[in-house]
Amino acid sequence: SYVVTQPPSVSVAPGQTARITCGANKIGSRSVHWYHQKPGQAPVLVVYDDRARPSGIPERFSGSNSGNTATLIITRVEAGDEADYYCQVWDTTGDQYVFGTGTKVTVL
Amino acid sequence: EVQLVESGGGLVQPGGSLRLSCAASGFTFSGFAMNWIRQAPGKGLEWVSSISGSAAYTYYADLVKGRFTISRDNSRNTVYLQMNSLRPEDTAVYYCARGLEEAATNPQGSWGQGTLVTVSS
């Protein structure tokens, strides 16, 4: 099965830039989607197809994807960005979605 | 406004069955794929299954293949998840989520609040 890994945690000061990585074999050849989930709430899609933003998501959220690593980039981090972040990839071999292991973002 | 309301969760014994429902409103239901995603207590997200808008295509995670069946009734704006041969490791909050478009491989742009399934004797 396709294995997708994320760092368990990322810490960032308010106003700075957070980078959350998602690693997998040749992930750059696939579309990556990103979700955040705040405690007690349902997940929210924040970036899809590597870098596109759904309506209502601030421009501070962007993404990149190349080689074996995809990255979610959050600029001008705010306290409200504190959440768990998950990447997601469609595994074309197994015809199924795979979520990354999740990254807890802490705003210092 | 897109609304997704899950129901049907509860306590079931190992080996038992349960059917989850998700009632949708606020959009043209047949035009969008629907998904089930679960989250075990204190754990990460796990995609379970998806179905295209026309119901022509269905996909399943390896862990549930052969035990779970996804279906939809476009006349009732409802998607279902029939879960058989349940195991303790199936215990989780089950979320219903709408895809961005009709294809079942689309990412999930809108989510319900989830329904808890507990498999225990």
Side-chain angles (χ1 to χ4, degrees):
Chain A
S1 62
Y2 195 64
V3 178
V4 181
T5 58
Q6 298 179 236
S9 62
V10 165
S11 297
V12 58
Q16 299 303 303
T17 297
R19 292 179 175 82
I20 305 157
T21 59
C22 176
N25 185 41
K26 297 180 181 178
I27 197 172
S29 65
R30 304 167 190 253
S31 289
V32 177
H33 319 304
W34 291 91
Y35 302 82
H36 74 195
Q37 184 181 31
K38 298 181 181 179
Q41 298 185 18
V44 173
L45 181 69
V46 294
V47 165
Y48 66 96
D49 291 348
D50 298 341
R51 60 185 71 244
R53 278 177 292 106
S55 61
I57 300 300
E59 291 183 4
R60 301 185 297 105
F61 289 83
S62 63
S64 66
N65 186 14
S66 178
N68 293 325
T69 304
T71 304
L72 176 69
I73 303 158
I74 312 171
T75 58
R76 302 185 302 281
V77 166
E78 304 172 355
D81 297 329
E82 197 164 90
D84 293 325
Y85 287 78
Y86 297 90
C87 61
Q88 183 192 44
V89 182
W90 180 258
D91 173 13
T92 53
T93 301
D95 270 348
Q96 57 194 295
Y97 263 120
V98 178
F99 278 101
T101 47
T103 298
K104 182 176 181 60
V105 169
T106 299
V107 181
L108 301 171
Chain B
E1 179 192 4
V2 174
Q3 285 202 327
L4 302 169
V5 180
E6 302 95 336
S7 61
L11 175 63
V12 61
Q13 291 190 338
S17 298
L18 211 56
R19 187 176 85 154
L20 305 183
S21 301
C22 171
S25 60
F27 62 99
T28 303
F29 186 67
S30 60
F32 294 87
M34 298 299 295
N35 299 254
W36 290 97
I37 294 106
R38 69 186 183 184
Q39 187 169 35
K43 302 297 184 182
L45 299 174
E46 182 177 37
W47 175 85
V48 173
S49 182
S50 65
I51 185 168
S52 62
S54 65
Y57 298 94
T58 58
Y59 301 96
Y60 297 92
D62 286 343
L63 283 175
V64 307
K65 208 170 288 184
R67 299 189 299 125
F68 291 10
T69 302
I70 192 171
S71 62
R72 63 190 296 158
D73 185 340
N74 286 348
S75 68
R76 295 177 182 269
N77 289 358
T78 302
V79 62
Y80 305 97
L81 185 68
Q82 177 67 43
M83 304 185 294
N84 299 330
S85 302
L86 283 162
R87 307 165 180 167
E89 54 264 36
D90 294 317
T91 295
V93 172
Y94 283 72
Y95 293 101
C96 166
R98 191 196 80 170
L100 291 184
E101 296 178 1
E102 196 274 346
T105 56
N106 264 260
Q108 296 84 55
S110 302
W111 297 59
Q113 286 305 305
T115 186
L116 176 62
V117 172
T118 303
V119 184
S120 174
S121 53

